[in-house]
Amino acid sequence: MEHQYESVVVLTPVMTEDQVKETINKYRAFLEKGGATIVHQQNWGLTKMAYQIQNKGTAYYTVLEYKAPTDLVSKFEVQLKRDESVLRFLSIVLDKHAVSYNQRRRNGELKSQQPKKAEA
Amino acid sequence: MAKPNTHNNSNSIYPFSQTDANAGKKKYCRFKKSGIEYIDYKDPEFLKKFLNEQGKILPRRITGTSLKFQRKVAQAVKRGRHIGVLPFVADNFKGDN
């Protein structure tokens, strides 16, 4: 039974925009090859963090929502661990309330907003 | 010798603490009332309502949330802290909300 997962990937700010795109596309390709279907991707761009991670105050945030077989997520996380440009990542499984919440947020019914954009 | 009433001085720590004025007001769980089922860990503005100035999670007796949603709030806050959206420790980072 394929669960829906949501992964937040925090990338180092010491990269250009297209490098960020390229890394994210690399991970998307990895997921698709493993049999996952990407439901939604959300880029927050350069965002100010609440505290410094590895002496960096801002980072590129990307939220990936995907349906995947159960064993793919751990492989995906091994890839993320290996990549130095990834400061932090967090992947969770979405229950039905979470899935409907994300659906409603995409349709614009909810007014929740992401953290403040960093003035680069 | 009467038991010293130590309860009152603890009120000064929490911002919107249980003063005698609104002691009679029935506290309610905002999630049950508004029917929210999922608490998004990526939305710091909403989660800040459940944190005090130092960024600590407020107890249920102050916010009045039910046990089920207090656990969800706590989990969401901890996830938010992990990905750097919420601070682990802060000195009045929230401003006044």
Side-chain angles (χ1 to χ4, degrees), chain A residues 6-8 10 42 44 48-51 53 61 63 88-95 97-98 101-102 105 111-116, chain B residues 35-46 48-49 68 72 75-76 78-90 93:
Chain A
E6 179 185 77
S7 291
V8 179
V10 183
Q42 195 187 9
W44 294 354
K48 190 173 169 321
M49 287 193 287
Y51 55 91
I53 298 179
Y61 277 75
V63 182
R88 198 136 307 169
F89 60 89
L90 173 76
S91 34
I92 58 168
V93 65
L94 297 180
D95 56 11
H97 300 304
Y101 172 86
N102 287 340
R105 197 148 70 93
K111 52 167 179 40
S112 80
Q113 70 277 42
Q114 289 91 32
K116 300 182 287 308
Chain B
I36 301 175
E37 272 296 323
Y38 173 69
I39 299 168
D40 192 6
Y41 61 95
K42 304 188 288 296
D43 175 12
E45 295 320 312
F46 179 72
K48 275 182 182 162
K49 297 189 180 74
K68 171 181 172 184
K72 288 188 178 190
Q75 191 182 35
K78 287 166 190 168
R79 283 181 176 162
R81 287 173 177 163
H82 177 65
I83 57 173
V85 160
L86 282 172
F88 280 94
V89 70
F93 73 105

Side-chain angles (χ1 to χ4, degrees), chain B residues 5-68:
Chain B
N5 178 352
T6 57
H7 174 62
N8 273 340
N9 52 30
S10 74
N11 286 346
S12 59
I13 303 171
Y14 290 113
F16 50 103
S17 62
Q18 189 63 40
T19 53
D20 299 338
N22 56 15
K25 182 169 71 59
K26 176 80 186 64
K27 275 187 296 193
Y28 57 88
C29 171
R30 58 165 49 218
F31 296 102
K32 274 200 201 124
K33 214 164 204 298
S34 57
I36 301 175
E37 272 296 323
Y38 173 69
I39 299 168
D40 192 6
Y41 61 95
K42 304 188 288 296
D43 175 12
E45 295 320 312
F46 179 72
L47 289 177
K48 275 182 182 162
K49 297 189 180 74
F50 299 94
L51 302 179
N52 67 359
E53 261 70 33
Q54 288 99 19
K56 294 195 214 171
I57 300 170
L58 284 172
R60 282 175 59 215
R61 56 183 168 78
I62 302 288
T63 54
T65 51
S66 63
L67 178 58
K68 171 181 172 184

Side-chain angles (χ1 to χ4, degrees), chain A residues 79-93:
Chain A
Q79 298 285 331
L80 290 174
K81 282 200 188 92
R82 210 173 275 145
D83 187 339
E84 285 93 27
S85 74
V86 174
L87 294 182
R88 198 136 307 169
F89 60 89
L90 173 76
S91 34
I92 58 168
V93 65

Side-chain angles (χ1 to χ4, degrees), chain A:
Chain A
M1 204 275 276
E2 278 206 339
H3 287 285
Q4 183 150 351
Y5 297 93
E6 179 185 77
S7 291
V8 179
V9 181
V10 183
L11 292 169
T12 173
V14 192
M15 290 202 316
T16 60
E17 281 287 334
D18 47 17
Q19 271 172 331
V20 170
K21 280 197 187 56
E22 182 205 310
T23 13
I24 295 300
N25 290 341
K26 182 182 77 176
Y27 289 129
R28 281 176 71 118
F30 173 83
L31 280 174
E32 263 133 20
K33 194 159 59 63
T37 56
I38 310 276
V39 172
H40 178 67
Q41 180 187 339
Q42 195 187 9
N43 301 336
W44 294 354
L46 198 62
T47 317
K48 190 173 169 321
M49 287 193 287
Y51 55 91
Q52 293 215 337
I53 298 179
Q54 292 175 13
N55 303 326
K56 296 174 180 65
T58 59
Y60 287 103
Y61 277 75
T62 312
V63 182
L64 266 173
E65 250 182 272
Y66 50 96
K67 283 197 173 62
T70 45
D71 56 352
L72 184 60
V73 183
S74 52
K75 292 199 191 87
F76 178 49
E77 287 192 338
V78 164
Q79 298 285 331
L80 290 174
K81 282 200 188 92
R82 210 173 275 145
D83 187 339
E84 285 93 27
S85 74
V86 174
L87 294 182
R88 198 136 307 169
F89 60 89
L90 173 76
S91 34
I92 58 168
V93 65
L94 297 180
D95 56 11
K96 63 181 186 323
H97 300 304
V99 172
S100 69
Y101 172 86
N102 287 340
Q103 218 83 41
R104 288 208 325 270
R105 197 148 70 93
R106 274 200 296 280
N107 308 344
E109 290 155 28
L110 303 165
K111 52 167 179 40
S112 80
Q113 70 277 42
Q114 289 91 32
K116 300 182 287 308
K117 286 273 171 290
E119 306 77 29

